[in-house]
Amino acid sequence: MKASILSFRAAVLMVIAGTIWGIVMGISQDHSTMPAHAHLNLLGWVSLFLFGIYYHLHPAVDLNRLALVQVWIWIVGTIVLTIGVGLAHSGHAVGEPIAAVSSLVVLADALLFGWLGFRREPAELAGPRSTVPAE
Ligand code: HEM
């Protein structure tokens, strides 16, 4: 599977979970887990969707297996971070180390995404395409 497809699919699942969470918070009038809801939506929906757009616009990177690994790490990191933040904000101290470790995983994965983006693509290394039609 391409990294962009995985990003878009995971983003949709995250926004469904994130918005249901928001509705439950609103109905119950209990906003204590609001930071976890915000992280799920921003890391899970917004960031994954942006990764998907980037990968879709850069087909050579999209096909790179490392891009797929980057998206999977982000998905798992986001879920674990959300659980950790949710536990920490609902009075369970065990959530703090979970949030701490997963935040470092997400940071490392952001660096991996940066490396994939800053690296020069094979098409770029080949030089600019000629706009002059072949004779
Ligand atoms: C049906 C959809 C949604 C509902 C019902 C909902 C509901 C809520 C509620 C009740 C709060 C707590 C507000 C407070 O206590 O001050 C909140 C906070 C927040 N939500 Fe949502 N939300 C939804 C979707 C989203 C989405 C899609 C995003 C991001 C893309 C998002 C990002 C945030 C953020 C960043 C906060 C924290 C705001 C702050 O710090 O004051 N939410 N949401």
Side-chain angles (χ1 to χ4, degrees):
M1 185 191 289
K2 285 191 209 170
S4 58
I5 303 282
L6 178 62
S7 293
F8 288 137
R9 287 184 182 172
V12 168
L13 294 178
M14 301 266 188
V15 75
I16 292 169
T19 51
I20 290 173
W21 192 328
I23 291 166
V24 170
M25 274 196 310
I27 292 171
S28 66
Q29 299 282 305
D30 177 3
H31 296 185
S32 58
T33 58
M34 178 259 278
H37 154 83
H39 280 82
L40 180 62
N41 278 320
L42 296 174
L43 293 174
W45 165 233
V46 181
S47 304
L48 276 171
F49 202 85
L50 291 174
F51 289 146
I53 292 172
Y54 176 84
Y55 287 134
H56 185 69
L57 290 173
H58 296 84
V61 189
D62 201 10
L63 289 169
N64 188 330
R65 287 192 71 79
L66 210 48
L68 199 61
V69 171
Q70 188 273 321
V71 175
W72 269 118
I73 293 174
W74 196 271
I75 293 168
V76 175
T78 297
I79 293 170
V80 176
L81 180 76
T82 301
I83 292 169
V85 171
L87 285 171
H89 282 269
S90 55
H92 302 88
V94 68
E96 284 171 26
I98 295 173
V101 172
S102 55
S103 66
L104 294 176
V105 170
V106 170
L107 170 63
D109 200 41
L111 292 172
L112 173 58
F113 177 71
W115 181 75
L116 283 165
F118 276 89
R119 228 171 36 132
R120 294 177 72 196
E121 291 178 36
E124 270 184 85
L125 292 172
R129 281 196 201 116
S130 171
T131 50
V132 180
E135 289 177 36

